[in-house]
Amino acid sequence: PVTTPVIHKWPKREIRGLLQELKTKEPVLAKYLEYAGDPWVTDFAELRPLMEVHFDEISHASVSQLDAWRVKGELKEINYQIQQLKRGRFFALVACDVHHCGFVTGAGLAVKREDAKQLAAKQALERLFFPSEPLEELRRCAL
């Protein structure tokens, strides 16, 4: 029998609208995006969530790994916003305040609330970078 592949689309318009709404509702984002220029504004507006369909298994360690960065003192604040979308899936957004120096976000889309939160944390972890030698990293970037 011939089977047609299942196409998993993400609800782009609904998520973009939600991101605009959260831009002023989420304290970390409200603090930074009001005054930020590009690439920050465009990066946030175009944020594409990690989706469960792209993973065989979702790690349930990402939220605790992200919190470990906060406990270690690398992040000042971590906030999650989780909303159920029209078709029943959950959209999670995590916003991390990097000690009043900027922010990092992550987004996840999944059928289960906790999976969406874990995917959002995973994306934020992938976007975070704390160099072991900050001055050397600044020198390297300046070249």
Side-chain angles (χ1 to χ4, degrees):
V2 176
T3 59
T4 56
V6 178
I7 299 171
H8 298 280
K9 293 184 178 182
W10 64 290
K12 189 185 293 188
R13 282 193 187 131
E14 189 175 4
I15 288 176
R16 281 192 178 157
L18 191 55
L19 288 173
Q20 288 306 306
E21 179 186 321
L22 290 173
K23 192 162 75 169
T24 55
K25 199 187 234 184
E26 162 51 49
V28 171
L29 298 177
K31 179 174 25 176
Y32 291 109
L33 285 177
E34 182 179 350
Y35 304 105
D38 271 332
W40 300 97
V41 174
T42 301
D43 179 62
F44 179 72
E46 299 294 322
L47 188 62
R48 188 173 184 152
L50 290 183
M51 299 188 318
E52 68 184 338
V53 297
H54 297 132
F55 297 91
D56 292 333
E57 188 178 328
I58 296 172
S59 166
H60 281 257
S62 298
V63 169
S64 53
Q65 287 172 347
L66 193 57
D67 194 50
W69 282 107
R70 185 191 56 75
V71 170
K72 229 171 108 178
E74 301 288 356
L75 299 172
K76 175 162 180 40
E77 186 177 350
I78 301 169
N79 295 322
Y80 291 91
Q81 300 287 333
I82 303 172
Q83 304 261 343
Q84 189 166 18
L85 302 179
K86 291 176 187 170
R87 295 186 183 195
R89 291 184 288 178
F90 287 92
F91 173 76
L93 176 75
V94 61
C96 308
D97 186 333
V98 186
H99 282 287
H100 303 299
C101 297
F103 70 98
V104 171
T105 57
L109 184 64
V111 172
K112 295 179 184 170
R113 180 183 184 89
E114 182 61 26
D115 288 348
K117 183 177 179 180
Q118 292 290 340
L119 289 171
K122 177 177 175 36
Q123 188 176 66
L125 286 166
E126 291 171 356
R127 301 174 98 196
L128 277 168
F129 172 67
F130 295 109
S132 57
E133 297 291 330
L135 291 177
E136 287 303 313
E137 185 64 20
L138 285 172
R139 285 187 190 110
R140 187 189 69 74
C141 291
L143 297 175

